[in-house]
Amino acid sequence: MWKFKALITALGLVLSPILMVRSMRFDLRSGSTKCITEDIKNNAMTVGKYSVVNPNEGFPIPDTHRITVKVTSPHGNNYHYGDTVGSGTFAFTASETGDYMACFWAADHKPVMTFSVDFDWKSGVAAKDWSKVAKKGQIEVMELELKKMYDTVSSIHDEMFYLREREEEMQRLNRATNSKMATFCFSSLMFCLSVAGLQLWHLKTFFERKKLI
C-alpha cells in the first residue's frame, strides 16, 4: 500500500510542472495597468481568483485599493469583467485556442499608491475541483489519485498534439516568410540593376552630347 502511494506521489511530482498553474503576487501602481497572458487550448477549463492585499487586516479594504479586472480571449471576446472590486473569481471553458489575457487596472490617485494583488490562474486538469468529484462519487483515495493521473496523462497527450500543430503552423509560416523574402530580395536586386543601367545610359548620353567621348 505504501509503495503504491509513494509511486503516485512520485508521479505527481514529475507531472506537476506540466500542469498549467499560475499563482503569483505582483505590485500594481495607481493609474497603471498590468496584463498577464495564459496559453489555453480550445475546450480547456480555466479558473482564476484574484484579491487585493488588505493593508489593514481586520478592517474593510479601503476604496483606494480597488481594481478593475478584464479577461479577454485571443480574438478580443470578453470572458470576465470586474469593475472597482477588491477581489473576484472567474471560470469558463475556452472556445478559442491561444493567449488569453487578464488585465488589472487601478484608478489614478494623488499621490501615487502601490499595492499588492494576489492572483491564481489554473487551466486544464489543475482547474478541476477534485474535492467535489470525490464527494459526489464516494471515490476511494487511491481511485481518485488514479483518476487524477489518467486525466493528467490525457491532458499531456492532447498538449503534445497541440504543440505539434503549433510547430507545423510555425514551419508553414517560416516557409512562407522565406519565400516572400526571396522574392523581395530578387525584386530589389533587379530594381537596383535597372537603376544602375539607367544611370549608365544617362551618363553615356550626357558625355556623348557634350562630345566628351
Side-chain angles (χ1 to χ4, degrees):
M1 182 69 69
W2 66 270
K3 290 183 179 180
F4 183 76
K5 291 183 178 179
L7 176 61
I8 290 176
T9 303
L11 286 173
L13 292 174
V14 172
L15 297 176
S16 58
I18 303 175
L19 302 180
M20 299 173 66
V21 181
R22 181 171 296 190
S23 181
M24 66 183 72
R25 172 175 290 189
F26 59 87
D27 292 333
L28 183 64
R29 298 184 62 182
S30 58
S32 64
T33 302
K34 183 177 182 64
C35 293
I36 299 169
T37 60
E38 185 75 36
D39 186 14
I40 304 176
K41 302 195 305 293
N42 186 27
N43 294 326
M45 179 67 182
T46 183
V47 296
K49 179 173 64 176
Y50 57 87
S51 62
V52 179
V53 178
N54 194 342
N56 303 313
E57 189 174 353
F59 295 90
I61 188 170
D63 292 337
T64 55
H65 285 57
R66 296 186 179 275
I67 57 177
T68 297
V69 183
K70 186 176 183 180
V71 180
T72 55
S73 71
H75 295 161
N77 296 320
N78 187 18
Y79 276 85
H80 173 76
Y81 182 76
D83 187 19
T84 317
V85 295
S87 62
T89 60
F90 60 85
F92 59 87
T93 300
S95 59
E96 305 166 18
T97 297
D99 290 332
Y100 284 72
M101 182 177 296
C103 290
F104 302 81
W105 177 79
D108 194 13
H109 295 288
K110 300 297 181 181
V112 175
M113 302 179 60
T114 301
F115 47 88
S116 299
V117 179
D118 286 332
F119 183 44
D120 185 46
W121 198 351
K122 301 178 181 179
S123 298
V125 178
K128 292 186 177 182
D129 190 347
W130 293 102
S131 61
K132 290 184 178 179
V133 173
K135 183 177 179 180
K136 181 179 179 180
Q138 298 297 321
I139 304 174
E140 297 293 337
V141 175
M142 287 187 294
E143 291 178 331
L144 178 61
E145 292 297 331
L146 286 174
K147 182 172 177 57
K148 288 182 181 180
M149 293 297 175
Y150 176 78
D151 284 357
T152 301
V153 171
S154 298
S155 177
I156 296 171
H157 181 265
D158 294 340
E159 185 72 17
M160 290 175 63
F161 278 97
Y162 168 68
L163 293 175
R164 184 179 298 175
E165 291 175 358
R166 293 292 293 269
E167 181 183 2
E168 291 176 354
E169 290 178 4
M170 291 300 298
Q171 290 178 351
R172 287 195 295 268
L173 178 61
N174 289 336
R175 286 194 293 267
T177 302
N178 291 336
S179 177
K180 291 179 181 178
M181 287 298 298
T183 303
F184 175 76
C185 291
F186 179 76
S187 300
S188 299
L189 178 61
M190 295 302 298
F191 177 77
C192 292
L193 292 175
S194 299
V195 172
L198 287 174
Q199 288 179 336
L200 290 174
W201 176 80
H202 176 72
L203 289 174
K204 182 180 179 182
T205 304
F206 175 77
F207 288 142
E208 288 177 345
R209 190 167 56 249
K210 296 295 184 179
K211 296 182 179 180
L212 297 176
I213 56 175

